[in-house]
Amino acid sequence: MRKGLVLSGGGARGLFAVQILKRMRDYGFDFKTIKFISGVSVGSIIGAMIAQGDIDTIIKVFPTLRNNDVYKGKISTFNIVKNRILGKNYVLDIEPLHALLSKYISLQKAKDKGIVFHIGFVDMNSGKYRTCTQYDFDTDENYIRAIMASCSQPVIWKPQRFSTHFEEFTNASDGGIITVSPIKSVLQHRPDQVIIINSSPVNPTVHKGDFTMEQMLLRTIDLAVGESFAKDMERFKEINKDPFRFVPSVIYQTDLDEDSLNFEDENLRKLRIDNANQMFFNPLTPKQ
């Protein structure tokens, strides 16, 4: 079997995906059957670890992450105004993520495993959604910066600079801006089955009352992400109507709508794990 794995964005909500993967592992799923992976945002981090054969590591490490392992700072009106005055086009410092990824990510291991791993990001200069794989890089640094670019939500985090064999990108940002669930990258390989794990809610909860500036910024991103996934799934279902292109699918979808930047709250971590356990089902039986 040649299976594909699609991992969405979602920030701290990525714990949903990690818990689903843990349940799959404990269930006896053979991760060696995964031959193609595509990921955006936090999905690119999780995907990178699976691509290099470190499924056990990501399952162990992700639940222990805290805000300062990923970023420094806080989204506030004061910080937005301060950084604007300082000429910065972002609010939070994402460099702690660079240190974290440098500890665990290995380009050589990813190449040696032979899995095709697609990283999705947006080239802010051209406005186009782009992908690259581990085979497009010569150095860990450029590979890690590409993964960081996939995570770098505009305004919140700094766009990233990196180079592939073919091209240099100077302002690369979160792929979830355009496609939060990058199914197409996997489908082009004609897998025997595709597993989709979406850590972002499709239907956001109703907000009551006024928004602060910070809440409005985060709400805008969440709404865009939810709409992006809905469109991704509609395109996938449309493609799958063709009997000659049909791909059996397993889809895990969270219904939680909570703070994607909060790695701290113990109750949120438990909620994400419980939600994944609730949504989990036998991955060996295709379900749409």
Side-chain angles (χ1 to χ4, degrees):
M1 292 285 287
R2 299 164 67 252
K3 298 181 180 181
L5 176 63
V6 180
L7 297 159
S8 82
R13 296 169 182 157
L15 184 54
F16 173 87
V18 170
Q19 181 65 16
I20 290 290
L21 292 166
K22 180 179 184 298
R23 291 295 305 274
M24 288 171 61
R25 183 198 64 181
D26 295 345
Y27 197 89
F29 181 84
D30 183 5
F31 282 91
K32 292 181 180 179
T33 61
I34 298 290
K35 302 300 181 183
F36 318 106
I37 301 172
S38 65
V40 295
S41 196
V42 70
S44 69
I45 297 175
I46 299 168
M49 294 297 288
I50 298 172
Q52 64 185 45
D54 285 337
I55 179 69
D56 292 339
T57 301
I58 193 64
I59 288 172
K60 179 181 179 181
V61 171
F62 198 99
T64 71
L65 296 180
R66 299 298 179 264
N67 292 351
N68 60 9
D69 294 316
V70 181
Y71 62 86
K72 292 190 295 185
K74 181 179 179 181
I75 294 182
S76 67
T77 303
F78 173 79
N79 284 335
I80 292 172
V81 173
K82 181 189 73 173
N83 282 15
R84 180 67 184 88
I85 293 172
L86 293 174
K88 296 180 179 180
N89 59 358
Y90 60 93
V91 182
L92 303 178
D93 181 357
I94 199 177
E95 284 308 299
L97 180 61
H98 182 270
L100 180 71
L101 295 182
S102 296
K103 181 178 179 180
Y104 292 105
I105 296 297
S106 167
L107 176 60
Q108 192 59 54
K109 286 175 68 174
K111 289 182 176 181
D112 290 345
K113 280 293 178 181
I115 297 170
V116 181
F117 168 47
H118 293 269
I119 305 164
F121 64 96
V122 173
D123 176 8
M124 298 299 284
N125 290 344
S126 68
K128 301 293 186 181
Y129 178 79
R130 302 289 299 271
T131 63
C132 53
T133 75
Q134 69 268 46
Y135 303 107
D136 295 324
F137 298 95
D138 285 326
T139 68
D140 282 338
E141 176 64 13
N142 279 312
Y143 181 50
I144 288 170
R145 288 292 173 184
I147 295 170
M148 289 177 64
S150 188
C151 299
S152 296
Q153 293 177 331
V155 182
I156 294 179
W157 284 320
K158 182 180 181 180
Q160 297 295 306
R161 176 190 293 265
F162 64 89
S163 297
T164 68
H165 295 320
F166 318 102
E167 195 169 355
E168 180 181 15
F169 297 95
T170 57
N171 285 288
S173 289
D174 190 350
I177 303 168
I178 293 178
T179 176
V180 74
S181 190
I183 303 167
K184 185 178 179 181
S185 295
V186 159
L187 290 183
Q188 68 179 328
H189 298 288
R190 303 299 299 272
D192 300 308
Q193 183 186 51
V194 61
I195 299 167
I196 302 168
I197 307 178
N198 185 38
S199 301
S200 295
V202 175
N203 300 309
T205 57
V206 176
H207 178 89
K208 296 181 180 180
D210 296 329
F211 288 95
T212 64
M213 183 185 295
E214 307 89 79
Q215 289 173 331
M216 185 64 77
L217 173 61
L218 294 175
R219 180 71 165 178
T220 300
I221 292 172
D222 283 346
L223 291 176
V225 164
E227 185 65 20
S228 174
F229 181 74
K231 290 179 179 178
D232 290 341
M233 291 308 301
E234 284 303 314
R235 285 193 290 267
F236 173 61
K237 290 177 181 178
E238 190 64 32
I239 291 171
N240 245 15
K241 288 181 181 179
D242 184 342
F244 296 102
R245 302 174 67 186
F246 178 79
V247 179
S249 62
V250 172
I251 303 171
Y252 299 105
Q253 169 65 57
T254 186
D255 58 5
L256 292 180
D257 181 14
E258 31 77 15
D259 189 353
S260 63
L261 293 177
N262 190 337
F263 290 84
E264 298 287 320
D265 193 306
E266 186 65 41
N267 290 329
L268 281 183
R269 286 197 295 275
K270 184 177 185 304
L271 196 62
R272 291 159 183 155
I273 290 172
D274 289 346
N275 186 241
N277 291 336
Q278 179 185 351
M279 298 299 179
F280 181 77
F281 55 86
N282 182 356
L284 304 179
T285 303
K287 179 179 178 180
Q288 295 196 72

